[in-house]
């Protein structure tokens, strides 16, 4: 017990130090949330023949609406902690590569999104949103980067009018957040200790939420099982 306590304290101190460097606020006592999201249903993947820009796009497009990995883990789900208003560490970036949005789901706090075109062909950014102004702009091959503002929390669908199969999502969330990997897992660090609401969103399977008690210097696990629609 004594050893456990000592280890816990060391982690708490390290976490506190890391937060001080990032935010400069000297916040102490953050914890980590490890979320795992499962889906008991079948994967939904659509395949489409491509006959345009095939030298960059390939000849087959794969539209991954529900990606289920090992142990029923659901990929591409956004897990967020709306009450944890930590500073954004890095700029949110989405790339158009191989006529796909990479990553398929990008998460950001309200602010700026960098949109890259690494394909060397014309793309056209077209977003579908209600809280934020919709974007509909050509991105020619010479325009490697565009920066757009998304200032309101919302799940924004992003498409390309040149390549009808291109589909991505921008999750604009007010607090700390992560996107689940192929095993359905994501970790969110430096979450303030105490009661926190955890929200999960998936583009096809909808939303769920749970309350957890985050403890300083500890990993709090939370599990979700999404239901089919
Ligand atoms: Cu395109």
């Amino acid at each position: 017990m004594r050893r456990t306590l000592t280890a816990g304290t060391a982690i708490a101190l390290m976490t506190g130090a890391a937060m001080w460097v990032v935010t400069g606020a000297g916040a102490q006592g953050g914890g980590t949330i490890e979320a795992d999201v499962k889906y008991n249903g079948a994967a939904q993947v659509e395949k489409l023949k491509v006959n345009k820009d095939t030298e960059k796009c390939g000849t087959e497009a794969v539209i991954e609406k529900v990606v289920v990995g090992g142990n029923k883990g659901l990929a591409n789900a956004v897990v967020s902690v709306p009450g944890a208003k930590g500073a954004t560490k890095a700029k949110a970036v989405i790339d158009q590569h191989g006529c796909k949005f990479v990553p398929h789901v990008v998460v950001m706090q309200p602010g700026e999104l960098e949109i890259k075109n690494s394909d060397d062909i014309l793309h056209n950014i077209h977003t579908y949103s209600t809280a934020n102004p919709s974007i509909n702009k050509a991105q020619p091959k010479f325009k490697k980067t565009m920066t757009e503002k998304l200032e309101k929390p919302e799940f924004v669908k992003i498409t390309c009018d040149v390549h009808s199969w291109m589909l991505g999502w921008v999750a604009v969330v007010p607090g700390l957040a992560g996107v689940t990997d192929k095993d359905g897992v994501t970790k969110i660090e430096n979450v303030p200790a105490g009661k926190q609401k955890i929200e999960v969103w998936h583009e096809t399977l909808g939303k769920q939420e749970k309350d957890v008690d985050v403890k300083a210097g500890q990993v709090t696990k939370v599990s979700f099982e999404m239901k089919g629609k």
Side-chain angles (χ1 to χ4, degrees), residues 96 99 101 119 121-124 160-163 166:
Q96 296 160 100
C99 307
F101 287 105
D119 271 344
I121 53 171
L122 170 73
H123 287 295
N124 175 278
C160 169
D161 291 338
V162 180
H163 309 103
M166 287 178 69

